[in-house]
């Protein structure tokens, strides 16, 4: 049987989830069209996965990047099914529904029960009264003034109608709720300061809820009446890296590791991709690299877009795993873990109780904790050496949850550029970047630099880029 006609070469820069999603989707489009498409993925590291990295050590399954993913993107479900991984998807344990915020010197449960929430002490009487008034707060009209976060925005970086997450929460729920509830939750998602993040870019669902219903509480009530369920948190039996590893093994995709791409330049109707090994001609390119590498690669096709990308901060983070005999944590209720409100004298952003969240994370009779440091609120913490970080973790676990024992296992993972911080003005910046790149046919920007930091969203963006690239080449 003769080979189908070749439609060209697509080069994907970055073998993380977003880049591999682009490669997978482009391959699927070529298969549907019955056309051969050469797809090459260039990965700088010696293995695929990007930040989706799973290690097995000491009998533990260690996630050094994202712990899991939300099942809210059709592209993720489609890719999992296509790779034969549906049977490997792992839901969290029931105990993971229990979550805490460390405030006022102790853990306080972030409960969905109104009565339990009131008893938790997360908010005082004034804060509770203000939160109860949320349905009465008028929806914000475009162009209204911001409040506390306005002076922290870079000059010229934001439009007047882009509100910070802190301002959004303070306006709708009150300043006490913004400080004690929303700010710690934002730490857990972005490792960033709610005052320095765009509500529209960072948590667009909240903004959409207000726009559609005029109130967050009204939107939630409407969702309950429809039977809507919040997206579920998932991982894989063998860890989060199972997905990129399996995608990379798919036929129709060639993955080349230890290929650091240093430049991309326009050449006629195509591109030249320069790597640490050799140059590669491409008819289309998908860049799915992290900041600031993505900005450096975009420079070769659009200096204006590269300049905008370099204005997006991506601070460092450190992830510290500590394991203990289960007896050392026997006094703790099984739970997902806790986040730490700022001003408590604790540098830790939060801690996830891995043993209680997903089964199979460690041997029986052990307790595995995953603590996060650094990010946009305390980047210096990520610069501490390994011994200092482990000592700090032990000290703060003793102070916050009373674990006073020597760990049986420790590890430290570092990400120099961890999570992009979508500052106020980010939607306008995205528009400028996309306008600068639009005339460059065949060039696509994936990853999490523009459209969402979660693994699921990065996969969805990558799949969209791969589909567009394939259709351009196949037409």
């Amino acid at each position: 049987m003769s080979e189908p006609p070749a439609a060209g070469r697509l080069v994907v820069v970055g073998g993380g989830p977003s880049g591999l999603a682009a490669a997978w989707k482009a391959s699927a489009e070529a298969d549907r069209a019955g056309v051969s498409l050469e797809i090459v993925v260039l990965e700088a590291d010696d293995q695929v996965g990007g930040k989706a990295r799973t290690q097995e050590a000491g009998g533990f399954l260690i996630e050094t990047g994202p712990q899991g993913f939300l099942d809210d993107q059709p592209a993720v479900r489609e890719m999992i099914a296509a790779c034969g991984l549906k049977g490997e998807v792992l839901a969290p344990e029931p105990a993971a529904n229990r979550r805490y915020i460390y405030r006022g010197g102790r853990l306080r449960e972030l409960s969905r029960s109104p009565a339990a929430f009131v008893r938790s002490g997360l908010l005082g009487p004034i804060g509770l009264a203000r939160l109860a008034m949320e349905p009465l707060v008028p929806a914000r009209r475009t162009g209204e003034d911001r409040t506390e976060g306005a002076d922290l925005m870079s000059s010229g970086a934001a439009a007047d109608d882009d509100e910070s997450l802190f301002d959004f929460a303070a306006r709708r729920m009150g300043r006490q709720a913004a400080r004690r509830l929303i700010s710690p939750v934002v730490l857990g998602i972005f490792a960033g300061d709610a005052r320095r993040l765009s509500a529209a870019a960072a948590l667009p669902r909240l903004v959409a809820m207000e726009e559609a219903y005029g109130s967050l509480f009204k939107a939630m009530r409407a969702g309950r009446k429809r039977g809507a369920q919040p997206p579920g948190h998932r991982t894989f039996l063998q860890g989060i890296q199972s997905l990129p590893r399996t995608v990379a093994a798919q036929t129709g995709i060639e993955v080349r590791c230890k290929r650091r791409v240093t430049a991309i330049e326009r050449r006629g109707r195509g591109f030249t991709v320069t790597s640490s090994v050799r140059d590669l001609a491409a008819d289309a390119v998908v860049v799915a690299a992290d900041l600031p590498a993505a900005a450096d690669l975009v420079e070769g096709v659009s200096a204006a877009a590269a300049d905008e990308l370099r204005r997006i901060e991506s601070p460092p983070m450190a992830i510290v795993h500590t394991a203990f005999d289960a007896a050392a944590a026997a006094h703790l209720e099984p739970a997902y873990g806790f986040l730490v409100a700022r001003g408590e004298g604790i540098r830790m952003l939060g801690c996830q109780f891995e043993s209680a969240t997903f089964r199979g994370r460690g041997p029986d009779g052990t307790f595995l904790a995953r603590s996060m440091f650094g990010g946009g609120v305390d980047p210096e913490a990520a610069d501490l050496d390994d011994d200092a970080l482990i000592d700090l973790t032990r000290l703060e676990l003793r102070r916050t949850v009373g674990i006073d024992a020597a760990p049986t296992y420790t590890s430290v993972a570092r990400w120099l550029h961890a999570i992009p911080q979508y500052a106020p003005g980010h939607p306008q910046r995205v528009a400028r970047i996309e306008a600068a790149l639009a005339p460059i046919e065949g060039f696509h920007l994936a990853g999490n630099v523009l459209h969402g930091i979660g693994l699921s969203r990065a996969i969805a963006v990558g799949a969209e880029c791969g589909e567009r690239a394939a259709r351009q080449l196949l037409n």
Side-chain angles (χ1 to χ4, degrees):
M1 182 179 294
S2 61
E3 290 290 324
R9 176 187 287 157
L10 167 64
V11 174
V12 179
V13 182
S18 194
L20 288 168
W24 159 75
K25 192 65 174 180
S27 178
E29 289 295 314
D31 287 345
R32 287 193 196 97
V35 176
S36 173
L37 181 62
E38 184 182 0
I39 302 170
V40 180
V41 178
L42 302 179
E43 167 55 44
D45 209 338
D46 61 356
Q47 59 182 305
V48 297
K51 291 187 179 70
R53 190 64 58 87
T54 306
Q55 300 174 355
E56 295 185 42
F60 296 98
L61 205 61
I62 304 297
E63 302 288 11
T64 62
Q67 181 204 39
F69 63 94
L70 295 178
D71 61 352
D72 60 343
Q73 297 290 336
V76 178
R77 296 191 290 270
E78 184 183 349
M79 189 164 74
I80 288 172
C83 294
L85 284 175
K86 287 180 69 174
E88 296 293 307
V89 175
L90 182 65
E93 296 294 290
N97 289 322
R98 185 179 294 117
R99 301 175 183 226
Y100 295 90
I101 291 176
Y102 183 82
R103 193 199 73 77
R106 67 180 181 89
L107 295 185
R108 300 173 188 272
E109 187 172 357
L110 188 57
S111 176
R112 296 178 183 176
S113 162
F117 179 79
V118 169
R119 291 195 302 269
S120 73
L122 274 168
L123 298 182
I126 294 176
L128 289 169
R130 175 61 180 82
L131 181 63
M133 293 173 61
E134 192 275 340
L136 305 178
V137 176
R140 177 174 177 266
R141 296 186 301 274
T142 300
E144 287 183 358
D145 291 339
R146 296 174 307 276
T147 57
E148 184 168 332
D151 61 327
L152 296 171
M153 293 169 13
S154 300
S155 176
D160 287 342
D161 61 351
D162 193 19
E163 194 174 23
S164 78
L165 269 172
F166 185 92
D167 292 342
F168 178 91
R171 177 175 56 79
R172 291 235 54 91
M173 296 179 280
R175 297 178 68 81
Q176 193 177 106
R179 288 195 305 272
R180 298 184 184 182
L181 297 180
I182 300 304
S183 290
V185 169
V186 169
L187 282 179
I189 301 172
F190 280 88
D193 185 346
R195 294 174 173 84
R196 304 186 72 95
L197 292 171
S198 160
L203 293 179
R205 284 178 177 166
L206 290 183
V207 176
M209 288 164 69
E210 181 186 36
E211 290 176 348
Y213 294 92
S215 160
L216 303 182
F217 285 1
K218 290 177 182 178
M220 289 187 286
R221 282 198 295 268
R224 286 195 295 268
K225 287 181 180 179
R226 295 194 309 270
Q229 296 293 323
H233 188 211
R234 303 286 184 266
T235 189
F236 297 95
L237 287 169
Q238 300 303 317
I240 202 69
Q241 200 174 357
S242 299
L243 183 58
R245 285 171 176 161
T246 305
V247 175
Q250 299 295 297
T251 58
I253 301 173
E254 180 184 355
V255 177
R256 302 176 187 176
C257 291
K258 297 183 179 179
R259 300 291 195 275
R260 182 174 298 280
V261 176
T262 57
I264 299 172
E265 295 182 349
R266 186 77 171 173
R267 288 287 184 266
R269 297 185 63 183
F271 304 88
T272 297
V273 180
T274 301
S275 78
S276 54
V277 176
R278 66 182 179 89
D279 291 356
L280 193 64
D283 299 291
V285 174
V286 174
V287 172
D290 286 339
L291 292 167
D296 293 340
L297 298 179
V298 168
E299 177 78 41
V301 297
S302 172
D307 181 64
E308 293 284 359
L309 284 168
R310 290 189 178 105
R311 296 174 184 271
I312 302 173
E313 295 182 3
S314 187
M317 283 189 69
I319 309 296
V320 181
H321 281 84
T322 47
F324 304 88
D325 290 333
H331 60 285
L332 294 176
E333 289 283 345
Y336 181 82
F338 64 93
L339 297 165
V340 182
R342 296 300 86 185
E344 294 292 323
I346 301 292
R347 299 188 75 175
M348 182 188 294
L349 306 181
C351 178
Q352 294 159 334
F353 301 165
E354 296 284 85
S355 304
T357 301
F358 291 113
R359 62 183 171 87
R361 304 299 98 169
D364 291 343
T366 61
F367 177 85
L368 180 64
R370 167 184 144 118
S371 305
M372 300 166 288
F373 295 89
V377 296
D378 187 13
E380 295 79 11
D383 292 333
L384 296 172
D385 64 36
D386 286 5
D387 288 343
L389 271 171
I390 291 169
D391 288 345
L392 179 61
T393 301
R394 292 184 61 186
L395 171 65
E396 296 194 342
L397 286 177
R398 185 163 62 246
R399 288 184 58 189
T400 54
V401 294
I403 296 179
D404 192 9
T408 59
Y409 168 86
T410 62
S411 70
V412 177
R414 300 172 189 277
W415 300 105
L416 182 59
H417 302 284
I419 302 175
Q421 304 292 292
Y422 297 162
H426 186 80
Q428 293 75 31
R429 173 164 288 128
V430 170
R432 293 193 293 272
I433 291 170
E434 292 182 337
L437 295 178
I440 307 168
E441 185 174 355
F443 187 88
H444 309 273
L445 183 59
N448 63 6
V449 296
L450 297 182
H451 295 294
I453 56 92
L455 186 144
S456 295
R457 185 61 185 145
I459 289 174
V461 171
E464 181 182 341
C465 288
E467 182 175 10
R468 283 192 279 117
R471 289 184 175 180
Q472 287 172 353
L473 295 177
L474 298 175
N475 288 336

